[in-house]
Amino acid sequence: MKKIKNIAIIAHVDHGKTTLVDKLLKESKYYKKNKYKEERIMDSNYIEKERGITILSKHASIFWKKYKINIVDTPGHADFGGEVERIMSMVDSVLLLVDALEGPMPQTRFVTKKAFLYNIKPIVVINKIDRKNERSNWVLNKIFDLFINLNATEEQLDFPVIYSSAMLGTSGTNLKNMKENMIPLLETIIKYSPDPKINKDEKFKLQISQIDYDNYLGNIAIGKIISGKIKNNQTVFIKNNKGKNISGKINKILYYYGLEKKEIQEAHAGEIILISGIENVEISDTICEINNFTPLKNLRVDKPTVKIFMSVNTSPLSGKEGKFLTSRHILNRLKIEKSKNVALEVNHENNSNTFCVSGRGELHLSVLIETMRREGFEMELSRPKIIFKNKNNKIYEPYETLIIDIEKKYQGIVMKLIGERKGELKNIIMSNEENRICLDYYISSRSLIGFRSEFNNVTAGTGIFHTSFKKYDIKHSYKTGQRRNGVLISNKNGKSLGFALFSLQERGKLFISHGEEVYEGQIIGIHNRTNDLTVNCIAGKKLTNMRASGTDEAINLIKPIEINLEKAFNFINDDELIEVTPKKIRIRKKYLKENERKKLKKINKKNIK
């Protein structure tokens, strides 16, 4: 039985968490040479590999000297903060990674605040010291300022510091004496990370922090044993603060061995384990012995801030590209997701074919939808909407910290863009790069819907921005604007033809190419003007019996704009929907017939008067 250390790695997005775990695994004597050839081995999900971000928390264990170090790699993006919140209940220490050039960013503040809520003392790792113009001393001062701002205790302010380059595999307690390995970091973890808080005399108790699924084992509950020990085939009670009280039998007990799961017969307090055989469990449930009835307090998880309406696909192409089409299929899938994703909420609307799905942000929701799409689901989605709160007869809405990094030449147009969205400039920070500047804003989440596409356009794709939830504040009175440009709408069903598309290119930018299946009411492009325009994109060249004097001119079609989920969310207006299938993402009007849209427009005008 080795001594146990339980730690989580937390940081802002792209500060090097997953790469650091790679190097720590390779430092372990149990790491088999050439077994893991690819980089970022913890990012096993295909969407994570494509986007280069961590979405789901991952577990691994390192065996070093007399210790077993359980490591949890957490997401860095604010939309997946729910993963970070529940992991804090399982660990006794955290490695707080901060980029040696960027310093503390919005998500750094969020994850540090969560660690402090659990009275955890961080070990600070200033990473990427190999970057040009790195400024470790400045970053260290900023971290200290952040801790003071978050009301850290004296013990938390006396934090150990390690410098590293996860990419190069170097670490050290002093910049002038760096080692070509991760041993200084491992030694710091052993020295400063406390042992698990346990009571060996008490009976078995474990709180479920995560739920996984295995095709062979079924539901798997993951958590840290708070007290006592558990054996295979033992009968236990599952309890929560809502009055749940059911019994079950442990089928298998597993623990992490490197990146693998290994079966064991018995586990003791302090260990992070996986339990199979118990169905109908939820995150925050307490698993305990039969005569040990008191459930643990529910895990603290912030509520969602953004919602979308998801419904059955009703387009003319419904059923041609997907396998799972009905509301029953969609609801069952959402229930499975909700059981393991505590930051997600699912509610039934009056229309039985429509569901309100709430999450932390557009990215949080788009990853779920992209996963469902690849599994074979078809669905329709509304424009994202902000979740308001009503308190003391006042309406509150979520506000965020927005950090923008742009070239100086775009400063004026970006400030004008955010000013129109009622963003409040808090600070202007000079970047280390000569021609760039950082802007710090306080802005409502509602104002950020549709912001990404406009921001990318005005900065020619060179701008970077990060957001982090700040707080709920009084709702501002101005209306968030809809898209400024109108759209090109197909007026018929059929296959698009190059001849028709060539003539439509003068009217705007297209979303479709030659030979694509389209239907009446589908949006096929952006109009150059502010009004919507109904067009015929399936019309061919009219043939006559007159012989042409020369050859026809060649048709040159401009490459269409590719639409992904994030672009679609940022693009659509309230009267439009996104059609999602395994093969295609389309944008359409809610009402496909032009006469129906005209009737609705007249009714809206009367209501305004």
Side-chain angles (χ1 to χ4, degrees), residues 1-4 24-31 60-71 186 190 255-260 262 271:
M1 187 68 187
K2 288 184 174 288
K3 294 181 180 178
I4 295 171
L24 288 173
L25 278 166
K26 291 175 183 178
E27 204 67 58
S28 169
K29 67 178 182 179
Y30 285 83
Y31 179 86
S61 63
I62 293 172
F63 294 86
W64 191 71
K65 294 185 177 180
K66 296 179 181 179
Y67 291 87
K68 180 188 179 188
I69 306 172
N70 291 315
I71 298 179
L186 288 168
I190 299 304
Y255 80 149
Y256 291 98
Y257 186 90
L259 290 174
E260 300 170 358
K262 287 204 171 186
E271 180 67 274

Side-chain angles (χ1 to χ4, degrees), residues 215-353:
N215 290 330
Y216 174 66
L217 298 173
N219 275 349
I220 297 175
I222 305 171
K224 183 177 77 172
I225 302 177
I226 305 298
S227 60
K229 63 181 180 179
I230 184 73
K231 292 182 179 180
N232 227 345
N233 298 318
Q234 184 174 329
T235 301
V236 293
F237 261 121
I238 299 94
K239 297 183 66 63
N240 65 17
N241 292 294
K242 297 177 184 177
K244 179 192 281 188
N245 188 5
I246 60 174
S247 63
K249 191 175 184 180
I250 305 296
N251 182 18
K252 287 184 184 294
I253 304 171
L254 305 99
Y255 80 149
Y256 291 98
Y257 186 90
L259 290 174
E260 300 170 358
K261 303 181 187 80
K262 287 204 171 186
E263 187 178 349
I264 51 176
Q265 297 301 312
E266 184 176 290
H268 296 260
E271 180 67 274
I272 294 174
I273 62 169
L274 304 90
I275 297 174
S276 72
I278 305 174
E279 298 298 324
N280 302 317
V281 291
E282 299 175 359
I283 289 167
S284 283
D285 283 359
T286 301
I287 302 177
C288 53
E289 288 189 30
I290 292 175
N291 51 354
N292 188 16
F293 291 106
T294 309
L296 296 164
K297 289 182 180 179
N298 287 339
L299 300 178
R300 306 170 194 158
V301 177
D302 291 342
K303 293 290 184 182
T305 57
V306 178
K307 65 182 178 182
I308 57 168
F309 293 98
M310 181 185 295
S311 58
V312 172
N313 187 10
T314 57
S315 89
L317 300 180
S318 174
K320 293 185 178 181
E321 298 171 346
K323 293 187 294 183
F324 306 113
L325 316 172
T326 66
S327 59
R328 179 176 60 84
H329 285 135
I330 294 172
L331 179 60
N332 289 341
R333 179 61 181 83
L334 290 174
K335 283 181 178 178
I336 291 170
E337 187 67 27
K338 187 177 181 297
S339 70
K340 54 187 179 182
N341 189 342
V342 290
L344 194 76
E345 288 186 3
V346 179
N347 295 302
H348 230 205
E349 290 301 297
N350 294 331
N351 180 351
S352 60
N353 290 332

Side-chain angles (χ1 to χ4, degrees), residues 41 44 82 84 101 141 163 240 264 267 306 326 346 451 468 593:
I41 51 182
S44 54
V84 179
L101 177 62
N141 289 331
Y163 301 92
N240 65 17
I264 51 176
V306 178
T326 66
V346 179
F451 172 73
S468 180
K593 302 287 184 183

Side-chain angles (χ1 to χ4, degrees), residues 50-103:
E50 285 176 12
R51 302 192 183 211
I53 59 173
T54 300
I55 295 170
L56 303 170
S57 298
K58 308 290 193 319
H59 293 259
S61 63
I62 293 172
F63 294 86
W64 191 71
K65 294 185 177 180
K66 296 179 181 179
Y67 291 87
K68 180 188 179 188
I69 306 172
N70 291 315
I71 298 179
V72 189
D73 180 21
T74 63
H77 200 285
D79 280 27
F80 308 109
E83 291 284 315
V84 179
E85 290 163 333
R86 59 187 177 181
I87 292 304
M88 291 301 164
S89 66
M90 274 198 286
V91 299
D92 307 290
S93 184
V94 294
L95 296 183
L96 176 64
L97 260 69
V98 184
D99 189 292
L101 177 62
E102 291 183 356

Side-chain angles (χ1 to χ4, degrees), residues 347-545:
N347 295 302
H348 230 205
E349 290 301 297
N350 294 331
N351 180 351
S352 60
N353 290 332
T354 303
F355 310 96
C356 178
V357 184
S358 306
R360 289 288 182 83
E362 293 171 42
L363 182 60
H364 183 203
L365 296 172
S366 70
V367 167
L368 165 63
I369 295 156
E370 181 64 28
T371 304
M372 292 176 65
R373 183 174 85 88
R374 297 188 188 199
E375 291 171 356
F377 284 85
E378 285 191 12
M379 67 201 84
E380 287 175 351
L381 307 169
S382 72
R383 187 181 192 225
K385 294 187 176 181
I386 295 303
I387 299 172
F388 299 103
K389 286 184 178 180
N390 197 327
K391 188 177 179 182
N392 299 326
N393 295 323
K394 290 183 180 179
I395 299 175
Y396 290 78
E397 64 177 320
Y399 277 74
E400 302 187 31
T401 297
L402 170 66
I403 303 289
I404 289 179
D405 185 346
I406 52 171
E407 294 180 19
K408 287 181 180 177
K409 62 182 178 181
Y410 298 121
Q411 181 179 349
I413 192 169
V414 168
M415 291 181 74
K416 180 176 181 291
L417 176 67
I418 301 175
E420 290 171 351
R421 294 170 176 263
K422 303 301 179 184
E424 183 182 339
L425 182 64
K426 291 292 186 182
N427 198 8
I428 298 178
I429 309 160
M430 300 307 295
S431 176
N432 248 27
E433 298 179 43
E434 289 183 7
N435 65 332
R436 296 187 75 87
I437 194 168
C438 291
L439 306 175
D440 181 358
Y441 278 95
Y442 177 67
I443 189 169
S444 75
S445 302
R446 183 160 51 109
S447 298
L448 290 174
I449 293 177
F451 172 73
R452 187 180 297 274
S453 56
E454 280 194 75
F455 176 74
N456 287 337
N457 286 337
V458 299
T459 61
T462 61
I464 303 167
F465 75 89
H466 299 288
T467 62
S468 180
F469 173 74
K470 180 74 172 176
K471 63 177 182 178
Y472 266 85
D473 207 340
I474 294 175
K475 178 187 173 185
H476 55 62
S477 57
Y478 95 100
K479 292 183 179 180
T480 49
Q482 300 281 299
R483 183 186 59 243
R484 295 177 183 179
N485 287 69
V487 289
L488 303 175
I489 308 164
S490 173
N491 65 355
K492 290 182 180 178
N493 300 345
K495 285 193 175 181
S496 60
L497 293 177
F499 179 80
L501 297 179
F502 179 71
S503 61
L504 290 175
Q505 286 179 159
E506 297 177 356
R507 302 292 186 98
K509 298 175 182 178
L510 300 178
F511 296 149
I512 62 171
S513 56
H514 169 75
E516 283 193 34
E517 196 82 29
V518 297
Y519 53 83
E520 183 181 2
Q522 181 181 335
I523 294 171
I524 63 162
I526 309 171
H527 193 197
N528 288 334
R529 300 186 180 183
T530 56
N531 64 302
D532 291 346
L533 185 65
T534 304
V535 297
N536 186 350
C537 62
I538 66 172
K541 185 176 182 180
K542 292 182 179 179
L543 301 177
T544 68
N545 60 357

